[in-house]
């Protein structure tokens, strides 16, 4: 999930539409205070943020965010002076994009930052699901889902590759490192059990069956 904090509603809408078409889940805020509240109280894969925001500046958000979180942040700004960029990097920004920007560059920069930080992220999120890689715990809508080791591994693998379709063989071999024995029911049972456990908490669907191909996260 990417959080966009941008007060220009046209730019906000443009970024939102482009990122969704590129396969990202997106949440948005149009002022600094709402953006700060979302950033501090939810887990995001990345934050894309303007500096000149009403109610709370991007610099303030970044400074306070870094006290508690290491969520990757890309700053969008018309302030292109070298000293401004250096100061933002010192505050903890992961990248800087100058306005006006090329939308393709924004997507490429997001992809690059996420590739760079993927190995250091300990929390994976999708919709209202949170997978904590350190504690090996899964939460949906802030309710813990009691998973078996295999069920947890399925979710961690899928959330680490949110746009990928996994065949049963691919999913099994990614998790176990062993050769897949063609037992059609094994992965079906694990997926079915996960769906039942999630359904006890929310009506939202998380795992989609792609017929003839396998499974993927359901957008």
């Amino acid at each position: 999930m990417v959080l966009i904090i941008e007060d220009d509603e046209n730019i906000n809408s443009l970024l939102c539409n482009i990122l969704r078409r590129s396969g990202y889940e997106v949440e948005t805020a149009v002022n600094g205070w709402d953006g700060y509240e979302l950033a501090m109280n939810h887990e995001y894969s990345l934050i894309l943020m303007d500096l000149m925001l009403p109610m709370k500046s991007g610099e303030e958000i970044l400074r306070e965010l870094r006290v508690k979180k290491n969520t990757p942040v890309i700053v969008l700004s018309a302030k292109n002076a070298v000293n401004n960029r250096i100061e933002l990097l010192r505050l903890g920004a992961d990248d800087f994009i100058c306005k006006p920007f090329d939308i393709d560059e924004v997507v490429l920069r997001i992809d690059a930052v996420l590739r760079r930080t993927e190995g250091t992220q300990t929390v994976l999120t999708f919709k209202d699901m949170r997978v904590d890689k350190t504690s090996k715990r899964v939460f949906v809508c802030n309710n813990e889902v009691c998973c078996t080791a295999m069920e947890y591994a399925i979710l961690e693998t899928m959330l680490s590759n949110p746009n990928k379709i996994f065949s049963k063989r691919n999913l099994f071999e990614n998790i176990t490192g062993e050769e897949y024995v063609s037992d059609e029911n094994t992965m079906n049972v694990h997926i079915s059990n996960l769906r039942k456990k999630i359904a006890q908490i929310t009506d939202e669907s998380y795992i989609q069956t792609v017929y003839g191909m396998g499974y993927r996260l359901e957008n």
Side-chain angles (χ1 to χ4, degrees), residues 3 22 36 57 62 70 78 100-101 111 116 124 128 159 169 175 180 193 195:
L3 172 62
S22 299
Y36 171 77
S57 73
L62 184 56
N70 61 355
F101 52 78
D111 290 344
R116 242 180 12 241
L124 302 171
D128 288 320
L159 266 70
R169 174 186 294 276
I175 291 169
Y180 180 69
N193 288 340
R195 284 172 168 158

Side-chain angles (χ1 to χ4, degrees), residues 62-102:
L62 184 56
R63 188 179 294 109
E64 294 175 36
L65 181 70
R66 283 294 173 257
V67 174
K68 295 186 176 181
K69 295 192 173 189
N70 61 355
T71 310
V73 175
I74 297 178
V75 169
L76 298 169
S77 178
K79 296 180 179 180
N80 194 31
V82 172
N83 61 329
N84 287 325
R85 284 181 287 169
I86 291 173
E87 180 59 25
L88 286 167
L89 293 173
R90 283 176 177 160
L91 284 175
D94 294 88
D95 203 351
F96 180 98
I97 300 174
C98 183
K99 290 182 176 181
F101 52 78
D102 181 273

Side-chain angles (χ1 to χ4, degrees), residues 2-212:
V2 175
L3 172 62
I4 298 171
I5 311 175
E6 168 61 66
D7 64 311
D8 184 312
E9 294 190 8
N10 289 329
I11 295 176
N12 193 313
S13 179
L14 172 65
L15 290 168
C16 186
N17 291 335
I18 292 296
L19 291 185
R20 282 179 174 150
R21 286 208 295 268
S22 299
Y24 290 102
E25 290 283 316
V26 177
E27 196 159 20
T28 68
V30 293
N31 65 67
W33 180 251
D34 287 346
Y36 171 77
E37 288 286 298
L38 288 170
M40 294 299 290
N41 295 310
H42 298 80
E43 298 297 333
Y44 296 97
S45 300
L46 182 138
I47 297 171
L48 189 62
M49 180 174 65
D50 189 19
L51 287 183
M52 304 292 288
L53 295 166
M55 302 177 70
K56 197 173 187 71
S57 73
E59 288 97 338
E60 289 177 301
I61 295 172
L62 184 56
R63 188 179 294 109
E64 294 175 36
L65 181 70
R66 283 294 173 257
V67 174
K68 295 186 176 181
K69 295 192 173 189
N70 61 355
T71 310
V73 175
I74 297 178
V75 169
L76 298 169
S77 178
K79 296 180 179 180
N80 194 31
V82 172
N83 61 329
N84 287 325
R85 284 181 287 169
I86 291 173
E87 180 59 25
L88 286 167
L89 293 173
R90 283 176 177 160
L91 284 175
D94 294 88
D95 203 351
F96 180 98
I97 300 174
C98 183
K99 290 182 176 181
F101 52 78
D102 181 273
I103 195 64
D104 291 332
E105 180 187 2
V106 174
V107 175
L108 288 172
R109 295 283 191 98
I110 289 172
D111 290 344
V113 168
L114 288 176
R115 281 197 305 271
R116 242 180 12 241
T117 59
E118 184 181 23
T120 63
Q121 285 186 287
T122 59
V123 176
L124 302 171
T125 61
F126 178 74
K127 296 183 180 178
D128 288 320
M129 178 180 286
R130 187 171 80 254
V131 172
D132 189 319
K133 294 167 64 177
T134 301
S135 65
K136 304 297 182 185
R137 298 168 75 190
V138 176
F139 299 85
V140 174
C141 301
N142 293 322
N143 295 286
E144 185 166 4
V145 181
C146 185
C147 295
T148 65
M150 178 60 83
E151 289 165 1
Y152 170 83
I154 288 170
L155 291 176
E156 181 180 313
T157 301
M158 295 185 77
L159 266 70
S160 296
N161 303 271
N163 298 310
K164 183 174 180 178
I165 298 174
F166 288 91
S167 67
K168 293 172 188 175
R169 174 186 294 276
N170 190 221
L171 196 54
F172 180 85
E173 292 180 352
N174 265 275
I175 291 169
T176 66
E178 300 174 2
E179 185 176 356
Y180 180 69
V181 178
S182 184
D183 177 358
E184 286 296 309
N185 287 325
T186 301
M187 295 309 296
N188 288 346
V189 169
H190 290 308
I191 295 293
S192 176
N193 288 340
L194 272 173
R195 284 172 168 158
K196 289 175 183 176
K197 290 177 180 181
I198 294 169
Q200 292 175 354
I201 299 171
T202 178
D203 293 332
E204 183 75 57
S205 181
Y206 283 81
I207 302 175
Q208 177 185 5
T209 299
V210 183
Y211 291 101

